[in-house]
Amino acid sequence: MAPDASQEEPPSKALVVCPTHLNKWVLNTTSAALFFLFIQLLIAVVLFGITDMLHLFQDRLTFNLTTCKGLLPMVVLNVLGLSFSAYTLEYVDASFYQVARGLVLPFTVAASYVMLHTRPSLGILASCAFVTAGFFCGVLLDGTPLSLIGITFGVASSSITAIATVVIKRSLPLVDGSSILLAWYANLLSAPVLLPLALLAGEGPTVVALLSGSPAPDAPAGAPSQLLTFLWGSLITGAVGFLMSIAGPLSIKVTSPISHMISSAVRGVASSVLALWLFHDVISAGRVASISVVLGGSIYYTWVKNRETEAAKAGAAYEQVPMDDLENGKQDEEVESHDES
């Protein structure tokens, strides 16, 4: 499927928005989605190397074959998740992308229950129900034409992302708990996998035409080359992807999960609004309701999870107080007994 060249927006607009819009801007001009991902990861790997040479990270980058073998499941899931996400964005509007991938939260809770035996509370189940309802509200009640292929890719991407979240948690001990090293290995090992996948997906002729400055094979006669758009988009999204792989964990660590989720929700709303300006997306009442319910359910989940975490910490602290008092009391009794003697 060749994207409609008429949908391309000028760089002056696309450069001021989020990575989703930047990716959509490039995917509107080329059907080489997997090759686009490969270039993004390659740029991120180069930036990791530069920052390591400048000693900007406390954790130094390493390469260990044993670690690579242990991270293989995570790499496979990362490649699949990125690929399905790219195809989702290629087939759906930028404003609908968040809805198409709206089942990440319910799938993550389900994967945690199956793989980590983490039993969800009623509050968490209620938030998952809200998010699921928001997804079906967008799919069934949206008044604009939707791509069934795009929705299918979105659901597949959500399920892969959910499983990958659990696998990443299990993979952290392999890199001594370093999120920087985990991001480094994920980019380094995923990039060479995407290149042969792009060729197997039939992107070879499109890539050759793109790099040679010629129109895509399925482009209309006389269509201009999209090489400049592709290069600019790849450079910017690769750099932004590198920063996000670092900023995500830091955001949660420096602020709080609730602050991180609220900021994500604000970005999601802004993303849909900006899609009106950039791509002239039609946002129906059903889509607005869907986005609102998905974001609301996600925020409610984070609030519930935070309350449960704080309650667990308070319970642990409460249990330690009597033990400390008993130990202090025992020491006082021993001192008094010693004084009397």
Side-chain angles (χ1 to χ4, degrees), residues 155-308:
V155 174
S157 173
S158 300
S159 61
I160 294 297
T161 301
I163 299 173
T165 302
V166 178
V167 173
I168 287 173
K169 186 174 183 178
R170 289 181 170 181
S171 300
L172 275 170
L174 297 176
V175 291
D176 298 324
S178 172
S179 58
I180 297 295
L181 283 177
L182 196 65
W184 154 252
Y185 275 108
N187 286 274
L188 179 68
L189 301 178
S190 298
V193 178
L194 278 167
L195 188 56
L197 282 181
L199 297 177
L200 290 175
E203 296 182 4
T206 302
V207 172
V208 171
L210 181 67
L211 298 181
S212 64
S214 304
D218 50 359
S225 169
Q226 304 298 339
L227 179 60
L228 185 60
T229 299
F230 182 85
L231 292 177
W232 271 110
S234 299
L235 180 62
I236 297 170
T237 54
V240 172
F242 162 74
L243 294 174
M244 290 183 65
S245 66
I246 301 171
L250 286 178
S251 173
I252 298 175
K253 181 178 180 180
V254 175
T255 58
S256 68
I258 287 185
S259 299
H260 180 74
M261 179 56 73
I262 290 176
S263 65
S264 298
V266 171
R267 288 197 305 269
V269 174
S271 174
S272 299
V273 173
L274 287 171
L276 289 171
W277 173 52
L278 284 170
F279 307 108
H280 310 294
D281 289 353
V282 178
I283 300 185
S284 62
R287 185 171 300 187
V288 171
S290 175
I291 293 172
S292 301
V293 174
V294 169
L295 292 176
S298 299
I299 295 174
Y300 178 65
Y301 164 82
T302 309
W303 179 75
V304 171
K305 192 68 176 178
N306 186 75
R307 288 194 63 184
E308 293 178 356

